[in-house]
Amino acid sequence: MRRSPTLLVLLLFSTAAYSQNEQYIISRQGSVIITPVYQSWTGKNAGYSFSEFSTILSAYVPLGRSASFSLGGGGATSGGDVTKLSGLTDVQLGFNYYFESINTVFSLGINAPTGKKELPHDQFVTSILFSHPLFNMQVPVWGQGLNLNPGLAWVFPVNDNLVLGLAAAYQYRGKYKPIEGSGFYAPGAEITGSLGADYKLNEAASLSADFMFTSYGTDKYNDAEVFASGNSYWFNLQYRQYFRENVLQVFAGYRSVSKGKVAGVGGLVSEAERLEPGRFETEGQFRQGFNPRFSLTYLAEVRIYENTAEAYSGSKVVGVGAGPTFSLPSGLFFPAVVK
């Protein structure tokens, strides 16, 4: 499967919703979050079992009232009926600047190629499995090339209750060697545009909607064109309700991808049928705050994939879980989830 849509341009809408509490487009609350996760999957009929233990550290640093900086990275190790793959991930850097006079946020994301790549063939097979969106691994990919992702998000407050926004982003994806002794693989660039609205129903509730379109460039291997993904379309709704210290969030979305092109005799040819399945997903979370330093989140999710010739298409995933979060006065957060 190709890859998930670029989420950086959703900054606009997530900050618009968040600002109902903090009243700032750029959050002024710094944080450091350490997220250790153990994930295990077993397919009884397919005869496979694999797991991943990963730890991600992310930091958010406000730089005055108009700018912020973020940093993320970590490591992971695999286990089970797969060739063991372990190592550090790429480092993700982010910068946001809010031009208040024109209600516009400029963002720049950077994927620094510090993670493990040029894998032996058997480890590369493991990485293909772990990168499948069905399994939703915290670390789906250890290492890639240098990626640059500039974006703009324009905020337009219609009135005290309604905020509209437009966002656009371009992602340059640098080439790298995925397998030991292989040539260079250069993923195609991505262009993403999105339209969103955030509506405050009352002082404690809001409803937001987003539509995102992504166009992908052509992937190349040693300068030869090998794959061109179809365009992707993503629509989602999110409802948020505050009950004093408690928060309810309900999310639903649908993503569809048009036919792509694959390498054939004489160049790229259209897929005989669409391979990448569309998916519907919904998730509900209720965060219960017991005190300023401890909260407990209850969650449930459903993901349904369309049937195509692609591996694991037609799958249905149902999950339930809970997660405590501990925080320190310094802004250090320790979330955990059992699902």
Side-chain angles (χ1 to χ4, degrees):
M1 189 171 290
R2 172 68 170 179
R3 45 188 174 256
S4 298
T6 303
L7 296 181
L8 181 62
V9 296
L10 289 178
L11 165 72
L12 163 64
F13 311 117
S14 62
T15 53
Y18 185 78
S19 66
Q20 293 186 29
N21 273 348
E22 204 183 57
Q23 299 301 316
Y24 301 116
I25 294 293
I26 299 294
S27 173
R28 298 186 186 182
Q29 181 180 359
S31 65
V32 176
I33 302 176
I34 300 173
T35 312
V37 172
Y38 175 78
Q39 295 167 275
S40 179
W41 286 86
T42 299
K44 295 181 180 179
N45 296 330
Y48 64 80
S49 177
F50 60 90
S51 63
E52 177 187 271
F53 176 74
S54 60
T55 300
I56 295 296
L57 184 147
S58 57
Y60 174 85
V61 182
L63 305 174
R65 59 177 293 169
S66 299
S68 67
F69 173 76
S70 61
L71 171 70
T77 184
S78 65
D81 301 328
V82 295
T83 300
K84 184 175 181 180
L85 173 57
S86 62
L88 297 177
T89 68
D90 288 346
V91 172
Q92 310 288 327
L93 307 172
F95 175 78
N96 296 307
Y97 188 86
Y98 175 48
F99 295 91
E100 188 173 357
S101 60
I102 55 175
N103 287 326
T104 300
V105 177
F106 168 76
S107 59
L108 176 63
I110 301 173
N111 180 84
T114 58
K116 188 171 185 178
K117 45 190 173 289
E118 294 192 53
L119 305 174
H121 185 268
D122 53 354
Q123 291 186 3
F124 180 69
V125 173
T126 299
S127 72
I128 291 176
L129 178 65
F130 279 49
S131 65
H132 198 289
L134 173 67
F135 304 115
N136 201 25
M137 293 299 195
Q138 177 171 246
V139 175
V141 177
W142 274 254
Q144 301 181 69
L146 173 67
N147 298 342
L148 302 175
N149 186 195
L152 285 174
W154 176 65
V155 185
F156 178 67
V158 178
N159 52 46
D160 291 340
N161 296 324
L162 178 62
V163 177
L164 301 178
L166 291 170
Y170 173 82
Q171 183 162 193
Y172 164 79
R173 305 176 71 88
K175 62 183 180 180
Y176 65 102
K177 290 185 176 182
I179 308 175
E180 281 183 350
S182 71
F184 283 98
Y185 183 76
E190 301 177 13
I191 298 176
T192 300
S194 62
L195 170 67
D198 187 89
Y199 183 71
K200 185 168 70 172
L201 301 172
N202 53 52
E203 291 302 317
S206 67
L207 180 67
S208 61
D210 302 301
F211 173 75
M212 182 183 298
F213 168 81
T214 302
S215 175
Y216 301 99
T218 301
D219 294 1
K220 296 181 179 181
Y221 181 76
N222 282 345
D223 296 324
E225 296 183 341
V226 293
F227 179 72
S229 175
N231 299 327
S232 73
Y233 308 86
W234 169 253
F235 175 75
N236 66 72
L237 291 169
Q238 179 172 278
Y239 174 77
R240 185 186 305 238
Q241 172 78 53
Y242 293 90
F243 305 91
R244 295 187 178 180
E245 297 83 8
N246 306 325
V247 185
L248 170 68
Q249 295 184 83
V250 180
F251 171 90
Y254 176 74
R255 179 177 185 254
S256 179
V257 180
S258 57
K259 282 186 179 181
K261 295 182 178 181
V262 295
V265 178
L268 295 180
V269 296
S270 295
E271 295 173 338
E273 59 178 295
R274 182 168 55 88
L275 292 180
E276 183 168 347
R279 72 173 186 266
F280 168 79
E281 57 187 77
T282 182
E283 180 176 325
Q285 293 189 12
F286 182 76
R287 189 183 71 214
Q288 184 177 8
F290 291 91
N291 58 56
R293 299 289 167 242
F294 175 73
S295 66
L296 182 62
T297 299
Y298 313 92
L299 56 91
E301 68 168 338
V302 176
R303 287 183 281 137
I304 301 173
Y305 294 81
E306 293 178 328
N307 252 317
T308 70
E310 213 267 347
Y312 304 113
S313 68
S315 298
K316 299 176 179 63
V317 179
V318 177
V320 294
T325 298
F326 303 89
S327 62
L328 301 178
S330 60
L332 187 63
F333 290 83
F334 296 92
V337 175
V338 177
K339 182 167 63 173

